[in-house]
Amino acid sequence: MAETTKAEYYQLYPGFEFPPQSYVLDAAMVSQYLKATCESNDLYLKEGLVPPMAVTAYAMAALSQSVTMPSGTIHVSQELDFCKLVKVGDTITCYSKVSRKIERGGLRLMNTDITVLNQNQEKVLTGRVGFVLPEPAAGS
Amino acid sequence: MQNRKVEFKIGQELPGREKLITQEEINLYAQASRDFNPIHINEEFARKTAAGGTIAHGMLVLAYVSQMMTEAFGKSWLEGGRFNIRFKTPARPGDRLKIQGKIEKIQSGTEDILINCAVLCNNQNNEAVITGEAIVRIKNR
């Protein structure tokens, strides 16, 4: 499988779309997440639902695999909408798009919107990630 | 199946929790979330950054807040929940986090109820790690 080239921060602009990424949420993958977050709710352990923050984590992983952010980048804010139940066995596809990229007061601000669809093309999650980056050093 | 009518009140505290952050848990979360940023898992690398040492993934800490919301509101949170939060201070291995929430507003409609909650995660020094709002829509059945 060909390796996808990561975009660099300087290449991004409002409207830039990252390549979508799909995951099959099999039992092993979800179980690993439940264990890592010490999750014990029966909705997940007995009813086979997937935590919405797991879906978010996979969407963020898709984003981080698509872009190289400068050193010092800070994830400062997060908006999330959990739209639909996700179940073990579902396939999700994660889409990300730059919605804002500005410089203000010595800082660079970037927002990225994420959308996750299930195998039926139904929206299961949307969100907005806020990043702050320091200004690049002079001469860099 | 019995329908359980749950009453919510403004000012009601959500089922808070405490979490001890460990490097082991951070490492497990890195595997599970596929986020291998060295600032979370490589002590030598992280020591040389502004963080001064490894820090927990913000999404791991937010997952604990989501757990509180799930315990309070069940499936309604999973299919009608909304977060609007800010990450204030990183959580570090050894930190003991206190996750809290409180209902601030309830709006009743014909088809559903909208509940606004303030959510907060503090560390043992009472520094805010996460602040913000969680909103849940509960359908009238």
Side-chain angles (χ1 to χ4, degrees):
Chain A
M1 184 163 61
E3 203 172 277
T4 307
T5 306
K6 282 190 174 185
E8 298 282 340
Y9 174 76
Y10 73 89
Q11 296 174 305
L12 305 181
Y13 51 86
F16 180 98
E17 294 185 18
F18 297 97
Q21 183 132 343
S22 295
Y23 301 97
V24 177
L25 303 182
D26 60 36
M29 186 175 177
V30 177
S31 176
Q32 187 182 34
Y33 181 89
L34 297 179
K35 185 181 171 189
T37 53
C38 302
E39 179 62 79
S40 59
N41 197 300
D42 279 348
L43 288 173
Y44 311 124
L45 298 184
K46 292 191 176 163
E47 293 192 40
L49 295 178
V50 178
M53 287 305 299
V55 177
T56 307
Y58 306 139
M60 294 296 288
L63 175 61
S64 70
Q65 285 161 22
S66 302
V67 62
T68 300
M69 297 294 279
S71 179
T73 298
I74 302 172
H75 180 185
V76 293
S77 65
Q78 185 72 57
E79 294 171 32
L80 290 165
D81 265 288
F82 306 140
C83 311
K84 198 166 180 63
L85 294 177
V86 178
K87 297 184 280 294
V88 172
D90 281 355
T91 298
I92 57 169
T93 302
C94 307
Y95 300 85
S96 305
K97 180 165 74 174
V98 175
S99 54
R100 184 172 85 147
K101 188 181 178 192
I102 61 171
E103 294 188 15
R104 184 199 291 171
L107 293 173
R108 293 177 285 176
L109 310 174
M110 190 175 92
N111 287 349
T112 301
D113 289 352
I114 56 176
T115 302
V116 181
L117 306 183
N118 65 15
Q119 65 276 7
N120 300 321
Q121 300 301 300
E122 296 164 312
K123 206 175 287 186
V124 301
L125 182 147
T126 62
R128 174 165 289 177
V129 190
F131 296 105
V132 168
L133 301 84
E135 259 193 29
S140 66
Chain B
M1 182 168 66
Q2 205 172 33
N3 283 332
R4 183 170 64 99
K5 187 173 181 199
V6 179
E7 300 247 343
F8 297 105
K9 296 174 188 167
I10 292 174
Q12 180 179 338
E13 301 274 352
L14 301 182
R17 57 207 49 219
E18 289 197 359
K19 285 292 300 185
L20 174 65
I21 300 294
T22 66
Q23 187 60 55
E24 184 185 354
E25 206 161 87
I26 293 171
N27 294 345
L28 284 174
Y29 186 82
Q31 295 278 347
S33 66
R34 292 147 168 77
D35 182 353
F36 299 104
N37 187 327
I39 200 154
H40 302 302
I41 55 175
N42 186 323
E43 177 60 35
E44 194 178 327
F45 171 90
R47 208 178 301 124
K48 296 172 190 167
T49 69
T54 57
I55 59 175
H57 304 73
M59 291 304 194
L60 170 58
V61 181
L62 190 55
Y64 299 144
V65 183
S66 185
Q67 288 175 1
M68 175 182 70
M69 296 301 292
T70 306
E71 187 178 337
F73 300 107
K75 271 186 196 170
S76 293
W77 174 246
L78 274 61
E79 58 182 341
R82 173 181 292 180
F83 266 139
N84 187 356
I85 63 94
R86 294 195 73 82
F87 296 108
K88 306 294 281 187
T89 302
R92 303 172 186 280
D95 279 358
R96 189 169 289 279
L97 304 182
K98 189 172 179 182
I99 295 112
Q100 309 163 83
K102 184 157 67 172
I103 294 178
E104 299 216 307
K105 189 172 162 186
I106 299 175
Q107 296 167 263
S108 295
T110 49
E111 292 189 358
D112 53 30
I113 300 169
L114 209 57
I115 300 179
N116 290 54
C117 307
V119 294
L120 175 64
C121 173
N122 280 355
N123 63 21
Q124 66 280 2
N125 300 321
N126 218 28
E127 296 166 311
V129 175
I130 286 179
T131 63
E133 185 180 39
I135 303 168
V136 59
R137 181 183 303 277
I138 301 177
K139 292 175 189 162
N140 287 330
R141 297 188 194 276

